[in-house]
Each structure stands twice: as structure tokens, then as C-alpha cells.
Amino acid sequence: MHDSKAIVRRPGRSIVHGLSTSVHTTLDYGKALAQHDQYIQALEYCGLNVAVLDCLEAYPDSTFIEDVAVLTPDCAIITAPGAPSRKGEVQSIEAVLKSYYVDIEKIHAPGTLEGGDVLSIGRCFYIGLSKRTNPSGADQLVNILKTYGMIGIPVPQRGFLHLKTAVTYVGRNSLLVAEGFDLPKQFEEFETIQVPRAEYPAANCILMNDKILMPAGFPDTRKRLESLDTEIVEVDISEFAKIDGGLTCLSLRF
Ligand code: CIR
């Protein structure tokens, strides 16, 4: 899995009104911008060429750009966000993806699907069925992937916003799994590293070109990840975490 490019979108001031499953202190916009800069630098350190898109003020959650597309080696798929306030985010991504991809597919209503629910490991894509991704969206993705010789596997998911909030792939056949997440049987071929309940946001890490990008401030998880003997790069995304944003959701990588 070698990624060479990433697309990110600058957060707009409206991010303070982003969707959240928790009561949180108001997001500090200046701090969010600074953390976003550090996130871009971390992607560059991991070897990616980063395209930075302008903010979309009309869409408070649009910096979580991972949710609007699924990028594969052979095609890009524009999703259909399940959150009503995020549906319009897809309009502006098509033109961007056209400069990178010849083949662009789409998930159509009544299907809903958000990229945070899609965990790709090689040419296999695990699709979490969540409040944001419904069976129709998952089935459409499975069929699109099949056309290009890739595999889509829908998996049940409960208790977390997206599949990748609870589980990510960190290399050496290992999954990082949040304690309390009922790992679906479709993942039984993998080894697991558990993220303690108190550190659950750390379950959302990114394996990128032989480095693991992890959110800063989770020492127990870091210790456990060190057993993989892979370089770990920490980046502070505490402002985004206030509205359920993790590391993966801040970029599209391909
Ligand atoms: C939302 O609820 O849509 C945003 N506040 C957070 C999205 C996080 N996306 C992701 O984990 N892929």
C-alpha cells in the first residue's frame, strides 16, 4: 500500500457548528487551523504530495473530506453522505477528482455511504454498516468494486460513528481495535492490538508508506503500537476530535 498523494480541505469558520455526538467545549478555530497545518506537514513527512482545497463555509463538516469519496487504485467513487447536513459536500469533489481519475463512479439514493466507514486493506474494502452507511450504499460499493476486480465486504458496526472510528489497519497483518468494539468475524484472519477504552480515539490511525500516523496524547496505545517496530508519527488533532473528527477523516489518500 503506497500512497503518493493526499487531498485535504481547509476548515472554515463554520466548523464550530459541526456535527458532534458529545457535549464539548467550543472548538477554537485558530487552533484548528494550526493543527490542520501540522496535519498537512505530517502527511508530507510520510511522503505524500498534498493538495489543499479551499474551505466550504456552507458545510461545517467539510474538512472531514474522507467521507465524500472512496479512492481506489483503479477508480474514484463519490459517496452519498448519510448525514443530511453533509449531502451537498459531494458537489464540489467531482471536479477535483477529475484531475486525478479517468473513472469516477457514484453512490446513488436511496443508498448512503461515508468514506469513514470504508477500511481498505490492499484490494479489499471492508464497509461498515452504520447510521451513516446503509445496506443499499454498501451494496452499490460492492458492485462498483467488483467491476474493477476489487472486493467489498459489508460488516456490521454499532456503537461508533464510523467503522474506522473503531478499527484501522496498521500493517503486519494487524488491526488496531477500540476496546468495546465487537470485531466482526470477517476480520478473523488479522492479529489485533487493543486500544484501551480511555484512549479510544487512538483507534483511528493511518498506515502510510511504512509509517504510522497516530493522534497525539495516547501513551498506552503508542506503547502497544511500538511492538510493530514501525516508525510512529504523532499529530495533535484535539480540536477536530471535539466534533468526532479523527486522523483518517481529514484527508483522502491515494
Ligand atoms: C460528522 O459527524 O460527520 C463530523 N463531525 C465528523 C466526521 C468524522 N469522519 C470520519 O471519521 N471519517
Side-chain angles (χ1 to χ4, degrees):
M1 279 184 280
H2 182 88
D3 291 321
S4 60
K5 300 183 201 75
I7 304 172
V8 301
R9 185 180 291 289
R10 289 301 269 174
R13 287 191 174 277
S14 60
I15 191 173
V16 297
H17 304 300
L19 297 171
S20 177
T21 54
S22 62
V23 178
H24 58 86
T25 53
T26 306
L27 200 145
D28 180 326
Y29 182 57
K31 208 166 157 191
L33 284 179
Q35 290 183 352
H36 200 253
D37 282 336
Q38 285 155 18
Y39 179 80
I40 292 169
Q41 283 162 19
L43 293 179
E44 288 171 344
Y45 176 75
C46 293
L48 303 197
N49 206 315
V50 185
V52 184
L53 307 182
D54 289 341
C55 67
L56 289 178
E57 284 295 357
Y59 297 99
D61 287 297
S62 53
T63 193
F64 304 118
I65 194 167
E66 168 184 70
D67 292 321
V68 300
V70 174
L71 303 186
T72 82
D74 302 335
C75 66
I77 300 118
I78 297 175
T79 66
S85 65
R86 302 198 57 187
K87 289 191 184 297
E89 286 178 32
V90 295
Q91 276 150 22
S92 60
I93 199 69
E94 185 164 2
V96 176
L97 294 178
K98 272 191 175 146
S99 56
Y100 299 104
Y101 281 93
V102 175
D103 291 308
I104 298 184
E105 309 283 350
K106 282 183 188 169
I107 303 296
H108 297 282
T112 65
L113 184 131
E114 295 190 0
D117 276 317
V118 182
L119 170 60
S120 64
I121 305 177
R123 289 177 73 79
C124 188
F125 294 69
Y126 296 88
I127 310 159
L129 297 166
S130 71
K131 286 187 180 148
R132 302 286 182 90
T133 295
N134 67 16
S136 165
D139 287 348
Q140 290 180 49
L141 182 56
V142 169
N143 288 329
I144 292 167
L145 292 169
K146 202 171 168 187
T147 311
Y148 292 87
M150 293 176 279
I151 299 167
I153 304 177
V155 297
Q157 196 282 96
R158 246 184 296 130
F160 292 82
L161 177 62
H162 290 120
L163 179 65
K164 280 184 294 193
T165 317
V167 53
T168 50
Y169 182 70
V170 285
R172 303 195 198 285
N173 203 43
S174 299
L175 297 173
L176 190 57
V177 185
E179 185 181 350
F181 179 61
D182 206 3
L183 195 68
K185 64 176 185 328
Q186 289 89 342
F187 289 115
E188 64 195 4
E189 69 185 273
F190 296 100
E191 305 291 323
T192 58
I193 297 173
Q194 196 176 66
V195 174
R197 206 174 288 268
E199 295 198 352
Y200 92 87
N204 185 265
C205 284
I206 308 176
L207 174 70
M208 242 181 320
N209 306 337
D210 301 326
K211 293 180 177 45
I212 295 171
L213 195 62
M214 80 170 288
F218 301 99
D220 284 356
T221 306
R222 183 179 173 121
K223 226 172 264 155
R224 293 177 195 199
L225 278 173
E226 281 168 358
S227 67
L228 293 171
D229 210 16
T230 301
E231 184 183 351
I232 296 172
V233 180
E234 289 193 21
V235 57
D236 186 2
I237 52 159
S238 55
E239 289 309 304
F240 299 98
K242 289 178 180 174
I243 54 169
D244 304 329
L247 279 180
T248 61
C249 57
L250 286 167
S251 59
L252 286 163
R253 303 161 302 280
F254 55 111

